[in-house]
Amino acid sequence: MSTRTIEIMVGLFVAAGIAALFMLAMKVSNLATYGGDEGYIISASFDNIGGLKVRSLVSASGVRVGQVTGIEYDSDGYEARVTMSIDPQYDKFPTDTAASIMTSGLLGEQYVGLQPGAEEEYLKAGSEVELTQSALVLEQIIGQFLYNMAEEK
Amino acid sequence: MHKKVQALTIPAQRIKIIPDSHPLPKGHDLSDTLIKIRGLKFSRGERMIIDGIDMDIPRKGITAIMGPSGTGKTTLLKLIGGQLHPDAGSIEVDGQNVHKLKTSQLYALRKRMGMLFQSGALLTDLSVFENVAYPLREHTRLSEGLIRQLVLLKLNAVGLRGAAQLMPSELSGGMARRVAMARAISLDPMMIMYDEPFTGQDPISKGVLVKLIRELNNVLDICSIVVSHDVQETLSIADYVYVISDGEIVGHGRPEDCKVSDSEWIRQFIDGLADGPVPFHYPAESVLDDLITGNTKS
Amino acid sequence: MMLLFDKLQSLGHSSLTSLQRLGRGHVFLMQVLPAMEGMLFRPGLLIRQMYSVGVLTLLIIVVAGLFVGMVMALQSYYALVDFGAEDSVSVMVVLSLLRELGPVVTALLFAGRAGSALTAEIGLMKATEQLSGMEMMAVNPIERVIAPRFLAGFLSMPLLAAIFSAVGVMGGYLVAVELLGLDAGAFWSQAVSNVDLYHDLGNGMIKSAVFGFVVVWIAVFEGYDCVPTSDGLGKATTRTVVHSSLAVLGLDFVLTALMFSE
């Protein structure tokens, strides 16, 4: 086999390998969402974040608008503080937007849902979301339900 | 046991050589030494392969190193080429102690040595032409045209210019060796070492190889070392012969001396006798012990 | 009592031999690594080896990747459909391919296809005195024969693993979407939201590079160190496949423990 054929084959092989890597990066991993670095950061405090994790989704009306970038416990306010990066094209969330922690499906992942309010001004980098609703903890709900049942009897 | 027998018989029967009493062949000057070996010892594991050899190989002419199989002849060539390290002793090639050289110096020295391996050692993924061109491509920056000319000249010298485009797998054993010879002379070395060049060749190939070794040596005017156990072929071309057995030199001299030597050992080797100083039987218990009484240490 | 001592001796002997081999393997590696720089001046040697190590292994990798992806999709569908979580099929397929199956199965196939061929080729070059011949031509065989093969294997492995995973994902897509009728959009979006570029794909690639290094190291060493007879060559080839497979599986555990423990 001529050197030229061999070189062409090797070139194809390397191109195929790089294309495969590229396909994996673009199609099935979150490379596209790494643009999140350029988004603006807002924060919110919750009484209980349940199973929320760093890199969990932030969505509005079911559409992904950003992701959670940090979670820490605020020992002054006895609350969990969640910082989120919102993609720059979604820059029109009113200042009275509410953040709540929701679950996709019964056993699914938890994510932060944003419900826009009605103010004229918009959230910007460093803003704090004031209205928050904590995660629903299944055990608590079931516990409460059982407690209520018992009381009714 | 084996070793003891040899040690007892051989030293007493070394052939005597008086170099000055005979006129040496033209161009064969013993005083101009290319390779000087002193007190060389080499062992593998507990087996002594070369046991104290002194040898002088002249700068011009064909020196043959003969001896039975497995007596360390090939090992000796590898020691000269610096591929193996001796346990003791020294080898000087052209004034340089081979085993004290740095790698780069050793490689520089090897460029001036040609070696022909038993199998030819051609690179199987390259054509005949590329095999001969290989040392030139590795060590020189000649133009493609010049390399082509040189390679075809060298191949012509061994009569294989027409086979330049064949692959090594398409060559017969004798042709492979001739290609390897063309490759060995491609850098115009000062010496060529032939490792068993005649083994396993038909009479015609042997004849061709004999002629080539002789001619190459005369034309290039270099030092050729032929390691072989093919008595007739080797004696017919050698200017000087060393005979080795069990890692020791048991005799040396010019081919004519060997032919008429009365040493029992040399006679056995040259005439191909089955029994002699080298016993027919591998050392063993006596037949009585082994077969009849079954009284053996296993 | 004698028997016990015999056993002890053979145990000691084999441990010493293994240790010796391990030491020789490391010395050998130390000779090969500096010889790599010679590659910069002779890309032709590398390309030829990329062909025999990489391109010729491609077919088995593609076929195996396709089937592994398809089987993964089927199996995870059957397991997940009971929980109504069949949308997560893509997550199962993609994560297991990127993290484990891609690097490990590729390395095992690579050891069987390319590793054994490398050992046999180098061993045969040794047996036919080609390596000695090169040395006597003042050419360092480690630089000309070993280093290109080593580098080609090391570079090919991650590429092969990426191709394996990509083809596997496509196989999974075929089964999940075309055969089982899952939603194509859900297939991709589930994967995107659960697979991390660095954590999953990146670590998988690091794994495959490590495996490639180890497999090709074992392969060229076994060839270079083999007893140059047909028996020794056969044993060396077998050892390449056995040792590199075991090394890959063992290292996989270690690397997984290091990478994916939070």
Side-chain angles (χ1 to χ4, degrees), chain A residues 18 33 42 48 73 101:
Chain A
I18 292 172
T33 63
I42 60 174
N48 189 336
Y73 182 63
I101 293 178

Side-chain angles (χ1 to χ4, degrees), chain B residues 25-30 32-35 57-64 93-94 110-116 154 157-158 180-194 211-226 237-240:
Chain B
K26 192 167 163 268
H28 188 78
D29 181 6
L30 270 184
D32 187 6
T33 309
L34 179 68
I35 301 172
I57 296 174
R59 193 174 288 275
K60 312 279 180 195
I62 300 178
T63 305
V93 177
D94 200 22
R110 279 185 188 161
K111 285 182 203 168
R112 297 160 63 209
M113 296 177 172
M115 176 138 176
L116 189 87
K154 307 286 177 191
V158 296
M181 281 167 89
R183 186 177 67 177
I185 58 172
S186 63
L187 286 175
D188 292 322
M190 60 181 176
M191 57 181 278
I192 305 182
M193 296 183 272
Y194 299 91
K211 173 175 168 292
L212 274 175
I213 293 174
R214 185 76 255 176
E215 277 184 0
L216 281 180
N217 188 73
N218 289 355
V219 171
L220 301 171
D221 198 22
I222 53 175
C223 161
S224 300
I225 303 170
V226 180
I237 52 169
D239 295 318
Y240 203 79

Side-chain angles (χ1 to χ4, degrees), chain B residues 83 110 119 123 134 138-139, chain C residues 129 132 134-135 137 144:
Chain B
Q83 290 189 303
R110 279 185 188 161
S119 57
L123 301 174
Y134 192 79
E138 287 290 334
H139 298 304
Chain C
E129 298 179 309
S132 293
M134 285 185 139
E135 277 183 22
M137 284 189 281
R144 289 287 180 280

Side-chain angles (χ1 to χ4, degrees), chain C residues 49 52-54 56-57 60-61 106-124 149-150 152-154 156-157 160 211-224 233-245 248:
Chain C
Q49 293 313 319
S52 56
V53 172
L56 294 182
T57 318
I60 187 174
I61 292 292
T106 308
L108 294 180
L109 292 172
F110 184 76
R113 171 66 184 75
S116 58
L118 278 178
T119 307
E121 190 191 9
I122 295 173
L124 205 60
R149 284 167 175 75
F150 200 105
F154 178 62
S156 296
M157 239 317 275
L160 289 171
F211 295 163
F213 187 88
V214 171
V215 170
V216 78
W217 176 20
I218 292 177
V220 294
F221 173 68
E222 288 292 353
Y224 194 77
L233 201 52
K235 280 186 180 149
T237 315
T238 311
R239 268 203 307 268
T240 293
V241 177
V242 172
H243 287 187
S244 48
S245 303
V248 163

Side-chain angles (χ1 to χ4, degrees), chain B residues 67-119:
Chain B
S69 309
T71 50
K73 303 188 302 294
T74 304
T75 309
L76 183 61
L77 288 190
K78 290 198 163 179
L79 283 163
I80 295 175
Q83 290 189 303
L84 297 174
H85 272 264
D87 300 336
S90 69
I91 299 177
E92 272 183 26
V93 177
D94 200 22
Q96 292 173 288
N97 187 335
V98 175
H99 300 102
K100 295 243 165 78
L101 295 177
K102 291 195 200 110
T103 311
S104 58
Q105 293 170 314
L106 179 63
Y107 274 38
L109 182 64
R110 279 185 188 161
K111 285 182 203 168
R112 297 160 63 209
M113 296 177 172
M115 176 138 176
L116 189 87
F117 286 87
Q118 223 168 80
S119 57

Side-chain angles (χ1 to χ4, degrees), chain A residues 6 10 13, chain B residues 125, chain C residues 39 43-57 110 114 117-118 121-122 125 144-153 156 220:
Chain A
I6 286 178
V10 172
F13 167 56
Chain B
D125 54 342
Chain C
M39 287 299 86
L45 287 176
L46 180 66
I47 286 178
R48 196 161 274 271
Q49 293 313 319
M50 286 286 279
Y51 177 79
S52 56
V53 172
V55 176
L56 294 182
T57 318
F110 184 76
L118 278 178
E121 190 191 9
I122 295 173
M125 288 183 85
R144 289 287 180 280
V145 175
I146 307 294
R149 284 167 175 75
F150 200 105
L151 195 58
S156 296
V220 294

Side-chain angles (χ1 to χ4, degrees), chain C residues 162-178:
Chain C
I163 292 171
F164 183 96
S165 297
V167 173
V169 170
M170 285 185 238
Y173 176 86
L174 275 182
V175 167
V177 176
E178 305 293 334

